[in-house]
Amino acid sequence: MASRSTNPRGASRVRRRVLLGTAVLVVLVALAGLAAYLTRDSRQTSKTTEPHQSSIAASSAASPAESPSPSKRAHALPVPPNTHDPIAFGKAAAAALWSYDTRAYSQAELLTALHRWLTAEIKYADPASVDAVVPSPVLWKEMAANGQFATAKVTEGHFPDSFTRALQADPGTVTQAYVYAVTVSGKQSIAWKGSPAGGAENRVTTLAVQCRPSHPCALAGVMPSVAP
């Protein structure tokens, strides 16, 4: 902890998380993990996301190497939609976070594209929470060797009950930062060379989405816990 307090970049990251947490705290009172989100080490968070993906990459390494089907188009980098609807934006952002294509672009290019989804208001943006859901450069290289890619299908998006109750109790709580909580459900399908069908699993996440009346929606961050 002492090393983080003397690191300007680390201190800046913590300040951003605190400001983001302040903006959404009143509408996410049901999230017991919010405090951990504001103080967690992003490297530890990355480790929690890698075992599942690395196990997929490892299993795909045993598959015979072959070229992807010509009918399987490489996925383009995600571009944020121009919308003022926080639920519509949240669904699009979740799909972007759950999708990748190691055949089409690098890990750094994907991170750059996802950072364009973040709000330009730096004090409310938490890029570290976005970085945490993207495979590390080392894991990405392993996945790329097997031509691994993922697609996402979003089935539903809504405001969490805690958010709705907070707005009903005090509609003015959101008018300072205009940050909304959006919970999105869907399915992620993963495939690789030699296994075009791949595997699929259900996914659900809660995002902090900023939608000021004068600007299109933007992503503020990915919450560490799902708000139902």
Side-chain angles (χ1 to χ4, degrees):
M1 294 298 293
S3 62
R4 290 180 61 189
S5 63
T6 59
N7 187 328
R9 294 179 61 186
S12 176
R13 184 182 303 120
V14 171
R15 283 196 296 271
R16 291 182 187 178
R17 291 178 183 172
V18 171
L19 287 166
L20 175 61
T22 300
V24 299
L25 179 60
V26 72
V27 295
L28 294 176
V29 292
L31 286 180
L34 183 59
Y37 170 56
L38 301 177
T39 59
R40 76 189 190 283
D41 187 327
S42 62
R43 290 175 299 177
Q44 293 177 343
T45 306
S46 298
K47 290 179 181 178
T48 64
T49 62
E50 288 189 8
H52 170 70
Q53 293 169 331
S54 61
S55 64
I56 295 172
S59 64
S60 64
S63 302
E66 59 185 51
S67 300
S69 169
S71 62
K72 187 70 69 175
R73 293 184 178 181
H75 306 138
L77 287 165
V79 178
N82 187 344
T83 178
H84 291 269
D85 182 343
I87 292 180
F89 184 91
K91 292 166 71 173
L97 292 169
W98 296 339
S99 304
Y100 59 83
D101 192 342
T102 65
R103 306 166 302 175
Y105 42 74
S106 68
Q107 188 258 13
E109 288 172 328
L110 178 57
L111 282 179
T112 298
L114 291 175
H115 284 187
R116 295 193 184 104
W117 290 64
L118 291 166
T119 173
E121 297 182 49
I122 297 177
K123 65 180 180 179
Y124 296 127
D126 186 8
S129 67
V130 173
D131 297 352
V133 301
V134 176
S136 68
V138 173
L139 179 56
W140 184 277
K141 183 177 181 180
E142 181 182 353
M143 293 160 58
N146 297 301
Q148 187 168 315
F149 60 97
T151 56
K153 181 179 181 181
V154 171
T155 55
E156 190 270 344
H158 67 275
F159 294 134
D161 290 342
S162 56
F163 180 90
T164 302
R165 289 195 302 269
L167 285 186
Q168 290 174 343
D170 186 359
T173 55
V174 76
T175 58
Q176 179 178 353
Y178 284 94
V179 174
Y180 301 80
V182 180
T183 296
V184 182
S185 302
K187 179 171 291 188
Q188 182 189 54
S189 298
I190 300 175
W192 51 84
K193 290 184 292 188
S195 181
E201 66 173 11
N202 293 326
R203 299 295 300 271
V204 59
T205 188
T206 298
L207 305 175
V209 177
Q210 185 183 54
C211 294
R212 290 196 181 277
S214 57
H215 298 286
C217 294
L219 184 63
V222 182
M223 303 307 294
S225 302
V226 174

